[in-house]
Each structure stands twice: as structure tokens, then as C-alpha cells.
Amino acid sequence: MRVLVVEDRKVLADSIAEGLRRFSMAVDVTYDGAQALENISVHAYDVIVLDRDLPLVHGDDVCRAVVSRGDGGRVLMLTAATEVPEKITGLGLGADDYLTKPFAFAELIARVQALARRAPRALPPVLELSGVRLDLPRHQVTRDGMLLPLSLKEFAVLEVLMRAEGTVVSSEELLEKAWDEHADPFTNAVRVAVMTLRKKLGEPGLIETVPGVGYRFRT
């Protein structure tokens, strides 16, 4: 999944992003509301982790913008306010969930994953195709019961391909969904990740190259 973290405390924002990336999520980070609005106008996010008290543009206005787009992105609002009226106001703006600071990082991960499963393009927690089982909560992949030692990026690429359920996924789409906004569009990272993923999945091969189009997971 692709996540946007919007938090003005840089150390906290970067820490959240790094933790989410350990679960093979593609994560973009912004430190103010104005940049957040620019990001959501360019990219489709599954979940936005949004601090409420932001500089330049308030988090409430960012939340309204996300809801008005109607593209299915879910909002997890972060705030130091613990009063019930504050939470009610945040949820009334269209936020899907609310988490007060300080929080346990394991809870943040669980809430992000739960929100992704509630999206219109719902992300089920476990995918199974052609003997391959991808378990998102446990962050594990097995083939015919054997655990596969995938890198974070290989895991992310496999998830995108399996979710496509046999339809072709272009290199550009893989770059959009499995890498963050800093990825070089001319990089060969997608090709390399697919190549190493194929080796780890073993035989018979499950990832087919469609020349000039992209890649397909055989079902």
C-alpha cells in the first residue's frame, strides 16, 4: 500500500515513515499542510497519517481536501488532544480514525492496516494465488508452505502483482505503488526487483513478462 505521513515534527515523521517501510509500505513524508495538499493532488494514497496541528495549512483543511477528492484514501488523524470533543470534531471532518499522542507504534501499524482493509479498493490481510500465500499482518510470504526470505521491496512488488490477479501491471504502476515519490522514473529498480523476486519464488515461474507492457502474476 502507499501511505502519506504528514507531521510537522520531523524526527517523529521520519520515525513513523521508517517504521511503516519495514512493513513494505511505500511512504511519502511531508512536514506541513501545504505540501500535503500538493502530494494528494498528484498521488493516490491508500492511507494518510495526518497530524492535526500543521503549519501553513491546518490538518483540518487537509482532511477536508482528502475527503472531497473521493478517491478512497483513508485518514488516520494524529493529535495531542485527548478530549472527546476534539476527537468528535476530527471524525466529523471525515477522518476515518483517531490516534492520540503519545502512541504505541504497534497500534499505529495495526490501525493503518485496518484502514486499508476498509478502503473502497479494500486490501485483504492475506492473499493466496498459485500456492503463494502473502500474509500482510505477519509480513511473511510462503510458497507451498515454505517460507521465502523476501526483501522489503520484493515483498511490496509481489503484493502489487498478486493484487492485480492475473492482469498486467506496468513498470510505471509498480514504481508508483511500491516505491516512494523520490524514486527515479528512469531507474532499473523495478526490473532488478522482479528478477530477484522470480529467483526466490522458484520454479515453475510465476511472474511473466509481457514485452512492452509490464508484468503479470500467473494464476
Side-chain angles (χ1 to χ4, degrees), residues 27-38:
V27 185
D28 297 336
V29 183
T30 65
Y31 309 111
D32 63 72
Q35 184 61 51
L37 290 177
E38 184 174 331

Side-chain angles (χ1 to χ4, degrees), residues 6 22 24-25 51 53 56 63 71 78 81 103-104 106 109 121 124 129 134 139-140 142 152 163 171 173 185 188:
V6 191
R22 291 183 188 134
S24 296
M25 301 180 197
D51 182 39
D53 297 313
L56 301 185
C63 185
D71 62 359
L78 303 179
F103 51 83
I109 289 289
R121 50 182 185 278
L129 284 173
L134 187 147
H139 203 261
Q140 291 181 345
T142 60
L152 296 179
R163 288 197 189 285
S171 295
E173 187 176 355
N188 66 348

